[in-house]
Amino acid sequence: MKYDLLKSVSLLALFATFTAIMFACDKSNDPSAPEKNTPTSSSSEMPLYSSVTVTEVSPIRFLPPTVTYNADKSKFNFNGSATLDGFDTTANVDSDNDPFFTNIKLDLIHVDEMGQSKVAMVQLQYTPPTFPVAQINLGEMGTVLYDPDKIECGTFKLIVVLYATNDAAKPDKFISTDSVEFVREPEFCIDEPEPVSSSSEPIAVVEMNQFQGQMTTSNFKGFSLKTDQEVDAAQAEFQVSLSQDGQLTIIGLNGYRVAKYSNADQTPYDDDWYSQDLPPAPAHMSDFRFHEKNLAESTSFDVDAFWVVVGPNYNKDTGDDFYAVSLLKKDVIDGNGIAPLTIIYYKK
């Protein structure tokens, strides 16, 4: 970007002009008309990608969007960003002003088996920035697809449409698009039968003992559920990482896998244990139900539930290599970006 004093003043004036134009356009001739609210979840209302005319010349530069998901593919998080190239003399040949973004539209498209595209039934959630802005970041917008009911599976495509200008009178002077494709396989939309409870099936009753431990979010450390202490990652069953936005992730190590327990998704609903509401002593392995297909290398981690940690020698009848873990407390992050954690866990 070009940053000299004259251009900074010019850009501020351009922002002010754009804001005034948008304000005027939003006003109804009827003084009693209600104000418009900007939607924060709008994929079903957006035009399909085919209706967008992309400008051949544009200063918009994308860092391509990416997608990550949790173990049962009920939640997809989107990241990616875009900036504006103020040195693009072709795009800016008719103006001395630096360009700025004026709008963003996100289309969530479902692609059927015949390759036909339609607006997805599931809803995309995001909070657009207050325009005009100089850059766009999908992660900072909280762009997420959260669909715990699994109402639609198959191939999806997130279409990102960005609008920019260097002329306040032409807010859609530049239009560029990018996209990311992802899949939720059909098996993730099939309801699983609830596990048969121990009261109706003669399975072994395995008692679990409660423990409390201290660990950190160091990438080089992990927690040993066998020795009840933080150790080097090579000797640990799991570790917890901390993202830049403060989110925790539990990661299975050395052949161990993790999954969020399924108690909260099944009846009865009075056994949704978490760090502040623990099962009566003695606890049992059946207090922490889970689906084996949901076991993964990592998943989100917090205080609101229990996560199972299952090893290669797991035995559902004896409770070998089975553990249940919940976060009790996350302390202040230190200067190295590492947070001390207090966990509660159960093992036989």
Side-chain angles (χ1 to χ4, degrees), residues 2 9 48 54 98 109 278 282 296 330 346:
K2 297 167 280 185
V9 173
L48 283 175
V54 177
D98 280 330
I109 305 301
L278 303 175
K330 179 177 75 173
Y346 286 85

Side-chain angles (χ1 to χ4, degrees), residues 266-318:
Q266 303 165 350
T267 56
Y269 295 115
D270 58 355
D271 67 347
D272 298 347
W273 317 119
Y274 64 104
S275 60
Q276 300 296 325
D277 186 12
L278 303 175
H284 298 87
M285 191 168 71
S286 57
D287 288 322
F288 311 103
R289 301 186 299 275
F290 72 103
H291 297 304
E292 289 195 43
K293 79 167 192 178
N294 291 343
L295 289 170
E297 291 183 0
S298 64
T299 186
S300 60
F301 186 60
D302 212 328
V303 299
D304 60 345
F306 269 89
W307 281 257
V308 298
V309 181
V310 176
N313 297 318
Y314 166 63
N315 186 309
K316 65 179 181 180
D317 295 320
T318 65

Side-chain angles (χ1 to χ4, degrees), residues 185-328:
E185 293 78 2
E187 55 265 30
F188 285 97
C189 289
I190 299 175
D191 291 332
E192 294 187 50
E194 292 184 8
V196 179
S197 67
S198 58
S199 61
S200 60
E201 183 180 350
I203 63 173
V205 177
V206 179
E207 289 192 2
M208 308 286 286
N209 298 307
Q210 178 191 327
F211 298 84
Q212 191 172 120
Q214 304 293 325
M215 63 179 301
T216 68
T217 58
S218 169
N219 293 329
F220 305 103
K221 297 290 185 178
F223 196 83
S224 171
L225 293 160
K226 297 176 180 178
T227 63
D228 306 308
Q229 59 185 331
E230 185 174 61
V231 296
D232 291 338
Q235 284 78 49
E237 285 79 57
F238 76 95
Q239 66 180 187
V240 177
S241 67
L242 178 67
S243 68
Q244 291 184 347
D245 60 359
Q247 299 300 307
L248 296 174
T249 299
I250 184 171
I251 305 167
L253 300 174
N254 305 309
Y256 284 77
R257 295 182 295 166
V258 295
K260 190 175 183 178
Y261 80 155
S262 61
N263 291 28
D265 302 327
Q266 303 165 350
T267 56
Y269 295 115
D270 58 355
D271 67 347
D272 298 347
W273 317 119
Y274 64 104
S275 60
Q276 300 296 325
D277 186 12
L278 303 175
H284 298 87
M285 191 168 71
S286 57
D287 288 322
F288 311 103
R289 301 186 299 275
F290 72 103
H291 297 304
E292 289 195 43
K293 79 167 192 178
N294 291 343
L295 289 170
E297 291 183 0
S298 64
T299 186
S300 60
F301 186 60
D302 212 328
V303 299
D304 60 345
F306 269 89
W307 281 257
V308 298
V309 181
V310 176
N313 297 318
Y314 166 63
N315 186 309
K316 65 179 181 180
D317 295 320
T318 65
D320 292 344
D321 239 2
F322 175 89
Y323 308 89
V325 183
S326 183
L327 175 67
L328 180 62

